């Protein structure tokens, strides 16, 4: 691990120079990284031309999509002699780890570059006026502001993982003065090779100031998460309450389509099996006399929850995509955290932890009466 010297008080440009060097030296074939398009739109880009590096914005606090979905779309199958450096936030990295375990991403083609992330905004929302590079610069220096910023996405306000849990190379600015220095940590040879020739001071341990800042940060976020879950619990999770919770659901399936770990190629709820012709609709409605339309929303959500809860990374892009404004972040925070805790599992923490539903332990769930 080490301290990366920031040039000219410009952390963005310092990273751009390093990324451009990786491309020029053919250390990687391309980078997947947040950027600002020529139209001023925040979006991830795949970049191979170092001359276009000025559009790249590695710290950009705007999240439109969980980058793991893009990694899965471009790197599902291995390709020889190709490396993409994916610059990702902790929740995106965690989703990639889950997707590798679910055999949806080929590990051999991806180098994971993890960035600190104290929170992100929805595109075009709550970020005020000014250019996105102003936004990055204000954001980077707002070390005391993140925890009070209610414009951050709902999931971010509850996020307890501001630093990467798993990456080949991690880059941090939390608890640092990012105009002077950044924290870097290579987890393996792949990460170390990317740091060759980079001007940095080796260190033995995480600087105290950074460690203390992150610990305090996590404590506050855990309190926010506990408060929001307690508020959610007041509504309760019983069948009737869930019907009310999802009462405005349009059945658009956006939440499923944007979810990075909802990986089935063909979803049962979008298959022919789920189609109901008029004859069947009349037969169904005849039983009750009245049926909410679109029908089957609760079954969809319960099934999806059941499928996702052990791999959910609590990124909240499902909530961001919901046109009905349903509070999916807190729901998935509660359900996935509880389910993963039951298995002693944390999604995206490690490639070596087997997926809970692919393993069987004789001693599990004794407290629930399993024998
Ligand atoms: S959920 Fe956490 S890691 Fe993901 S964007 Fe929000 S703060 Fe960052
Ligand atoms: S269910 Fe929602 S919060 Fe969980 S991984 Fe999917 S999109 Fe993210
Ligand atoms: S995105 Fe919202 S409205 Fe659409 S299916 Fe999901 S919960 Fe329902």
């Amino acid at each position: 691990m080490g301290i990366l010297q920031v040039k000219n008080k410009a952390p963005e440009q310092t990273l751009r120079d390093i990324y451009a060097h990786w491309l020029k030296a053919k250390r990687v074939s391309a980078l997947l990284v947040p950027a600002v398009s020529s139209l001023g739109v925040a979006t991830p880009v795949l970049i191979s031309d170092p001359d276009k590096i000025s559009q790249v914005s590695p710290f950009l606090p705007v999240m439109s999509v969980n980058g793991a979905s893009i990694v899965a779309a471009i790197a599902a199958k291995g390709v020889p002699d190709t490396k993409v450096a994916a610059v990702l936030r902790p929740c995106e990295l965690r989703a990639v780890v889950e997707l590798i375990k679910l055999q949806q991403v080929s590990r051999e083609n991806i180098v994971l570059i993890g960035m600190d992330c104290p929170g992100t905004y929805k595109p075009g929302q709550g970020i005020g006026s000014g250019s996105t590079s102003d936004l990055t610069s204000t954001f980077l220096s707002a070390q005391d502001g993140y925890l009070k910023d209610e414009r951050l996405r709902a999931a971010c306000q509850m996020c307890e993982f501001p630093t990467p849990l798993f990456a080949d190379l991690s880059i941090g600015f939390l608890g640092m003065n990012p105009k002077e220095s950044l924290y870097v940590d290579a987890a393996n040879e792949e990460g170390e090779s990317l740091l060759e020739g980079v001007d940095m001071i080796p260190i033995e341990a995480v600087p105290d100031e950074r460690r203390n800042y992150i610990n305090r940060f996590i404590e506050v976020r855990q309190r926010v998460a506990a408060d929001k879950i307690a508020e959610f619990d007041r509504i309760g999770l019983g069948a009737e309450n869930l019907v009310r919770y999802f009462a405005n659901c349009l059945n658009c399936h956006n939440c499923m389509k944007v979810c990075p770990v909802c990986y089935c190629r063909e979803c049962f709820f979008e298959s022919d099996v789920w189609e109901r012709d008029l004859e069947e609709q009349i037969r169904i409605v005849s039983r009750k006399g009245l049926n909410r339309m679109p029908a089957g929303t609760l079954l969809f959500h319960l099934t999806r929850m059941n499928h996702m809860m052990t791999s959910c990374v609590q990124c909240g892009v499902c909530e961001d995509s919901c046109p009905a404004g349903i509070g999916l972040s807190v729901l998935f925070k509660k359900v996935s955290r509880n389910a993963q805790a039951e298995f002693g599992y944390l999604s995206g923490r490690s490639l070596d932890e087997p997926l809970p539903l692919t393993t069987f332990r004789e001693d599990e769930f004794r407290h629930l009466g399993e024998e």
Side-chain angles (χ1 to χ4, degrees), residues 255 258-261 304 308 311-319 332:
C255 49
V258 298
C259 175
V261 291
R304 194 174 112 69
M308 300 332 309
S311 284
C312 171
V313 294
Q314 301 149 8
C315 65
V317 294
C318 46
E319 173 166 329
F332 271 98

Side-chain angles (χ1 to χ4, degrees), residues 246 248-256 297 300-301 304 318-319 321-326 328:
F246 287 111
N248 292 320
C249 176
L250 311 171
N251 216 20
C252 65
H253 296 181
N254 281 359
C255 49
M256 173 193 85
T297 49
F300 164 71
H301 286 294
R304 194 174 112 69
C318 46
E319 173 166 329
S321 73
C322 176
I326 295 170
L328 297 166

